[in-house]
Amino acid sequence: MTSRRYMLVAWMGLLALHPGCATTLGDVRLHADGAPMSEKCPEKSLEVMRYLQLYVGEAVWVQLDANQSRAEHITLHDGPIESVLDEDIGTLEAPMRLYGRVWTGGEQPVIRYYEAQFLKGKDRVPICAVARLGFGQLRKRPESKPGTAILNSSRAGVYIVDEFR
């Protein structure tokens, strides 16, 4: 067993001692346009990210919606989202799942990730990450209806954060 696997097994034991550490999604306040306001990353998530060697500013590519992977255009809806890591980051190995929430109220969707799901049925772990693309590439297409965001790409960068801004 590699040292990475030992670390994950040890971490899973630590997580079992601290149930209920994920962020409650309903606690996020919204701006007038429906975009979420800033939100602190929970201390437990910060602790877990340090242990998993996930450092603020690190980024990897993801398929934004596990149900629309590699599509030319995708439609995101307000609410929960399941994304798929395309690359390893820290001790998280692709194709790990990321779970979060989408808000489509502004000019571009806001996607925040609160949990990562280990493969083979292991527990979810708390994290703080956001989806981003530069140069307006995550902007909604003009034909997007309220509550949805039609995007030109199924991929985005996911960045580890210590606070959602």
Side-chain angles (χ1 to χ4, degrees):
M1 187 181 282
T2 67
S3 62
R4 177 181 256 182
R5 292 192 193 273
Y6 281 125
M7 186 181 313
L8 291 176
V9 170
W11 184 87
M12 294 306 291
L14 175 67
L15 181 64
L17 298 174
H18 298 285
C21 54
T23 299
T24 304
L25 298 177
D27 293 342
V28 179
R29 296 184 355 210
L30 302 177
H31 292 284
D33 68 357
M37 292 185 175
S38 63
E39 175 186 12
K40 293 217 179 273
C41 186
E43 275 303 315
K44 189 60 182 169
S45 297
L46 294 172
E47 178 185 336
V48 167
M49 290 189 310
R50 280 190 299 273
Y51 190 81
L52 294 176
Q53 300 173 9
L54 300 174
Y55 303 110
V56 172
E58 285 188 309
V60 293
W61 287 102
V62 296
Q63 293 295 319
L64 286 170
D65 186 341
N67 296 315
Q68 301 179 71
S69 290
R70 308 204 192 296
E72 185 174 331
H73 303 292
I74 65 169
T75 301
L76 300 180
H77 300 274
D78 283 326
I81 189 166
E82 175 186 358
S83 299
V84 181
L85 278 180
D86 278 348
E87 307 169 57
D88 298 349
I89 184 171
T91 58
L92 303 181
E93 296 178 350
M96 179 171 278
R97 300 296 196 253
L98 298 180
Y99 294 95
R101 184 170 174 92
V102 176
W103 291 268
T104 63
E107 291 182 12
Q108 64 184 38
V110 173
I111 305 170
R112 294 179 178 174
Y113 295 103
Y114 298 99
E115 296 177 307
Q117 171 74 53
F118 286 98
L119 299 177
K120 300 181 183 172
K122 294 184 180 172
D123 294 333
R124 290 185 186 185
V125 297
I127 63 166
C128 293
V130 296
R132 291 185 183 141
L133 276 177
F135 306 108
Q137 293 173 315
L138 203 55
R139 262 189 219 290
K140 299 187 305 189
R141 292 173 56 115
E143 64 267 27
S144 299
K145 296 189 179 349
T148 67
I150 300 172
L151 304 178
N152 286 329
S153 177
S154 63
R155 295 179 77 205
V158 166
Y159 291 78
I160 302 300
V161 297
D162 58 359
E163 181 176 344
F164 299 105
R165 296 176 181 87

